[in-house]
Amino acid sequence: MDINQKNIIYDKWLVFFSLSLFSILSASSLVGQKPIKIYFLVISSGTLLFSFAYWIVALITILYGYKAARNIINITTLCDFFITGIIYFSLQLPNPEFWNDHEAYSLVMNKIIYISFISTVSYYVCEMLNATILFYLCNKFYNVINLYYCVFISTSIAIILDTSFMIPVMLKSSQTTLLVIQKFISIIMSKLFFECCLILLLPYLCYYIINNINAKNIKKCSSVFWLQEALDGK
């Protein structure tokens, strides 16, 4: 199958997935500074949101093809860089004399810019890797059981690399190396746990979209034919 196939179909589901990706990317950057402790796990609020991004990219790759996934990753990355740029340039503008909270505002927003830039670069690299690995794996294995493994492998590699991108942020906010290691392991474990839960729903959502939304158009893309045959037991 041609990795650069020309017949990309854009329907309401693909638009929904694209907007969801952009919302997740932006929101995870905004709330990424807020740490959460769940028993022995120490993670950021953005970790909870970002896990859905891997799942959505996997879904787009399976249903709409690698080229569609790549285009959406490019667009959402550019949009997030654009928002980060707006925030940065707004901070450079002079403040009115009566605004007493500008120092606290600038402190918070500068941290958001720093985290947003790193997370956007990480998002682009890791999601491209996720989509590429998944595309090649899906064209080698042809049943539902292997679909779980394919998605798990591609998202796991992306998760480990993505978390590695955030090490500078952890070093900047943590006092000890031990705490950085704890955060690193906690984030990977939590993301993998969320991914495992979401992966179980993936084939059934694909099946629903294929058979109830726009099957004829979706079948023109990627490797949907083998997924539908596998789910139908053909």
Side-chain angles (χ1 to χ4, degrees):
M1 189 170 299
D2 183 10
I3 197 170
N4 292 312
Q5 72 275 24
K6 296 181 180 180
N7 49 327
I8 302 176
I9 306 301
Y10 294 94
D11 63 8
K12 61 182 181 181
W13 277 97
L14 189 56
V15 173
F16 171 75
F17 293 142
S18 303
L19 293 175
S20 298
L21 265 181
F22 176 64
S23 300
I24 289 170
L25 180 59
S26 299
S28 62
S29 298
L30 292 173
V31 301
Q33 297 181 69
K34 174 64 172 66
I36 300 175
K37 186 174 182 180
I38 305 176
Y39 296 105
F40 62 92
L41 294 177
V42 179
I43 60 176
S44 68
S45 304
T47 300
L48 299 174
L49 290 171
F50 213 78
S51 299
F52 288 93
Y54 303 107
W55 185 73
I56 293 174
V57 168
L59 191 62
I60 293 172
T61 305
I62 293 169
L63 287 177
Y64 297 94
Y66 174 77
K67 189 173 182 180
R70 186 179 62 189
N71 289 344
I72 290 172
I73 293 169
N74 286 334
I75 292 171
T76 50
T77 300
L78 289 174
C79 288
D80 201 65
F81 274 133
F82 179 70
I83 290 179
T84 303
I86 290 176
I87 296 174
Y88 173 79
F89 286 113
S90 69
L91 292 177
Q92 311 309 310
L93 299 175
N95 300 309
E97 296 179 357
F98 61 82
W99 190 29
N100 298 323
D101 299 327
H102 66 89
E103 290 185 0
Y105 178 82
S106 298
L107 178 64
V108 172
M109 296 309 293
N110 278 319
K111 288 183 178 180
I112 288 177
I113 290 172
Y114 175 69
I115 293 175
S116 179
F117 178 79
I118 294 179
S119 63
T120 303
V121 173
S122 172
Y123 163 82
Y124 177 80
V125 174
C126 297
E127 293 296 7
M128 281 293 189
L129 185 64
N130 179 21
T132 303
I133 293 174
L134 182 60
F135 178 84
Y136 283 111
L137 289 177
C138 282
N139 282 279
K140 288 190 176 183
F141 303 103
Y142 297 93
N143 58 60
V144 174
I145 301 299
N146 283 329
L147 175 64
Y148 293 122
Y149 292 124
C150 291
V151 176
F152 180 76
I153 291 171
S154 65
T155 55
S156 296
I157 294 173
I159 284 171
I160 294 172
L161 182 59
D162 170 58
T163 309
S164 300
F165 268 95
M166 301 309 293
I167 289 178
V169 178
M170 300 178 199
L171 289 171
K172 194 173 182 178
S173 61
S174 302
Q175 296 179 349
T176 64
T177 304
L178 181 62
L179 187 56
V180 172
I181 295 173
Q182 182 185 3
K183 284 183 178 180
F184 183 81
I185 296 175
S186 297
I187 291 173
I188 290 178
M189 289 178 62
S190 58
K191 283 184 177 180
L192 288 176
F193 173 76
F194 294 138
E195 284 304 309
C196 289
C197 295
L198 293 171
I199 285 171
L200 296 175
L201 302 174
L202 192 63
Y204 302 100
L205 183 56
C206 290
Y207 181 81
Y208 174 80
I209 294 174
I210 291 170
N211 288 281
N212 296 282
I213 304 300
N214 201 354
K216 291 183 179 179
N217 285 339
I218 293 178
K219 285 180 182 178
K220 295 178 182 178
C221 303
S222 192
S223 51
V224 174
F225 67 95
W226 68 257
L227 176 63
Q228 186 176 23
E229 289 179 357
L231 287 169
D232 287 339
K234 295 180 182 179

